[in-house]
Amino acid sequence: MEVLVTGGAGYVGSILVPELLERGHGVRVLDNLTYGQDSLISCFWNRSFGFIKGDVRDKGAVRQAVDGVDMIIHLAAIVGAPACRTDPKLAHEVNYVGTANVNEARSSSQGLVFASTGSNYGAVEGLCTEETPLNPLSVYAETKAAAESLLVQGGNVVDYRFATAFGLSPRVRLDLMVNDFVFQAVKNGFLLLYERHFRRTFIHVRDMAASLIHAIEHFEAMKDEVYNVGSEGLNYTKEEVARAIQRKVDYQIYFADIGADPDRRDYAVSYAKIRKAGFEPAIGLDEGIDELVGGYAMITVRNPYANVQR
Ligand SMILES: NC(=O)c1ccc[n+]([C@@H]2O[C@H](COP(=O)([O-])OP(=O)(O)OC[C@H]3O[C@@H](n4cnc5c(N)ncnc54)[C@H](O)[C@@H]3O)[C@@H](O)[C@H]2O)c1
């Protein structure tokens, strides 16, 4: 099928797009390259790939991108609590108004898969299910929850509330918790850990991409429902993540009572519904840590004031 991926040059998109092409789908990407990324450069050889450099806030660009596709995977966003807190107006315009633009431009026959987030649940006792009331604690979660509600009202949508991703992608993100912890362990030799008992839930970026492909390929059976996407086996406290890394990397963890994550999430999630719909993540935390440790050998963040670069 012909698939539009908004935000397709991002961390998730640049794993997803080559996979879609590999499976024989035609792919068009709409992305404004916020981070100057060239993450899809290796896709241009493929005649089934098309790229529009454009903004989801621009209704004309969105209409052009949506025209003629069978399915839309909507990833474009300002992602994460810190990025949205830095510019809440931009976060609202991209995450909410941009989503409204995509929704308005599509016809009733064009299905849409939305990358929402488990951040929408906030801090919750016990296990969240899709029925747990939303309690967004950041601008990021507020804008994603509002966008999700708009789309669900419109129908013909699969709404995915993702766990936090980890793993490598052509657009590397070091601001994700597992990716960041491994980076600090490998490059600094220590991690200052606060809020050690906060519970979080994770998914490998390749499993995110696989779940999105599952949604477009099983759209009729899955549509008009919300799904938590992740695995109970990947519900961990921050301390458990840090300890899992310590089994593979020789580094020090310093526990601190100071400091707070701008992302106030503290929650664990049930993934029974997505499992029933036929999707289950395949990649565990240990494999992800190995991949990150290996890949970080290719990444140096230069400190101009240090005599030695790690
Ligand atoms: N990575 C995660 O842990 C995670 C978890 C839950 C949900 N999600 C959701 O998945 C989606 C993809 O996340 P990601 O991790 O790939 O983030 P990312 O920041 O790497 O990708 C976002 C992409 O959107 C593009 N973009 C930003 N503003 C745009 C605009 N105005 N117009 C067009 N393109 C624009 C960026 O250039 C980028 O390529 C997002 O919707 C995010 O909310 C991600």
Side-chain angles (χ1 to χ4, degrees):
M1 68 182 91
E2 289 299 315
V3 186
L4 167 67
V5 184
T6 72
Y11 172 72
V12 176
S14 51
I15 294 287
L16 170 68
V17 169
E19 272 299 315
L20 284 167
L21 290 167
E22 184 71 31
R23 291 176 75 87
H25 298 293
V27 184
R28 184 184 297 161
V29 165
L30 172 70
D31 197 302
N32 71 350
L33 305 180
T34 302
Y35 308 101
Q37 65 270 42
D38 59 6
S39 47
L40 294 176
I41 204 87
S42 64
C43 295
F44 283 91
W45 70 272
N46 191 318
R47 287 178 179 278
S48 302
F49 176 68
F51 178 74
I52 299 171
K53 185 174 178 189
D55 199 303
V56 290
R57 291 169 296 173
D58 172 353
K59 287 188 178 190
V62 170
R63 269 197 303 272
Q64 184 197 350
V66 163
D67 186 41
V69 299
D70 303 304
M71 193 67 71
I72 300 161
I73 299 178
H74 181 42
L75 304 179
I78 303 300
V79 181
C84 291
R85 193 176 58 167
T86 303
D87 193 340
K89 184 169 173 283
L90 178 69
H92 171 77
E93 284 171 3
V94 177
N95 296 4
Y96 181 74
V97 180
T99 302
N101 290 345
V102 173
N103 198 37
E104 191 186 297
R106 72 184 173 124
S107 72
S108 56
S109 64
Q110 290 173 308
L112 187 147
V113 183
F114 183 53
S116 191
T117 168
S119 300
N120 295 352
Y121 293 119
V124 177
E125 292 286 329
L127 214 57
C128 298
T129 69
E130 289 77 0
E131 276 68 52
T132 301
L134 301 186
N135 177 26
L137 298 175
S138 61
V139 174
Y140 174 54
E142 278 166 20
T143 58
K144 293 299 273 191
E148 172 183 310
S149 147
L150 176 90
L151 287 173
V152 168
Q153 281 166 35
N156 212 20
V157 165
V158 168
D159 181 27
Y160 272 177
R161 291 186 190 139
F162 281 111
T164 301
F166 63 96
L168 291 172
S169 144
R171 168 169 140 68
V172 179
R173 279 189 59 194
L174 295 180
D175 57 324
L176 294 163
M177 186 178 289
V178 176
N179 294 4
D180 171 47
F181 282 12
V182 176
F183 192 80
Q184 295 196 51
V186 170
K187 299 291 183 183
N188 300 334
F190 72 92
L191 173 71
L192 188 64
L193 187 66
Y194 45 84
E195 298 168 337
R196 65 200 278 186
H197 300 304
F198 271 34
R199 294 158 306 140
R200 293 287 294 273
T201 181
F202 301 96
I203 182 168
H204 193 277
V205 62
R206 288 192 176 277
D207 279 325
M208 273 179 94
S211 74
L212 291 163
I213 292 171
H214 187 84
I216 64 164
E217 293 181 353
H218 299 84
F219 192 80
E220 280 307 309
M222 290 182 73
K223 71 179 183 186
D224 299 327
E225 294 285 343
V226 180
Y227 302 86
N228 295 329
V229 184
S231 158
E232 285 89 350
L234 285 163
N235 287 335
Y236 290 109
T237 63
K238 290 167 78 168
E239 180 174 354
E240 285 168 339
V241 172
R243 298 273 186 217
I245 299 165
Q246 212 170 32
R247 287 193 283 278
K248 292 170 178 290
V249 180
D250 182 19
Y251 82 110
Q252 290 296 319
I253 306 169
Y254 297 106
F255 296 101
D257 295 326
I258 50 145
D261 200 322
D263 184 340
R264 303 302 302 152
R265 270 181 285 178
D266 180 11
Y267 70 133
V269 176
S270 162
Y271 296 103
K273 187 170 173 182
I274 187 84
R275 236 185 346 267
K276 209 165 158 213
F279 178 77
E280 203 161 358
I283 305 171
L285 183 62
D286 280 347
E287 288 162 270
I289 294 169
D290 288 342
E291 169 191 334
L292 289 162
V293 171
Y296 286 163
M298 292 195 89
I299 296 175
T300 304
V301 176
R302 298 210 170 269
N303 175 352
Y305 302 107
N307 286 358
V308 178
Q309 306 290 340
R310 302 175 71 134

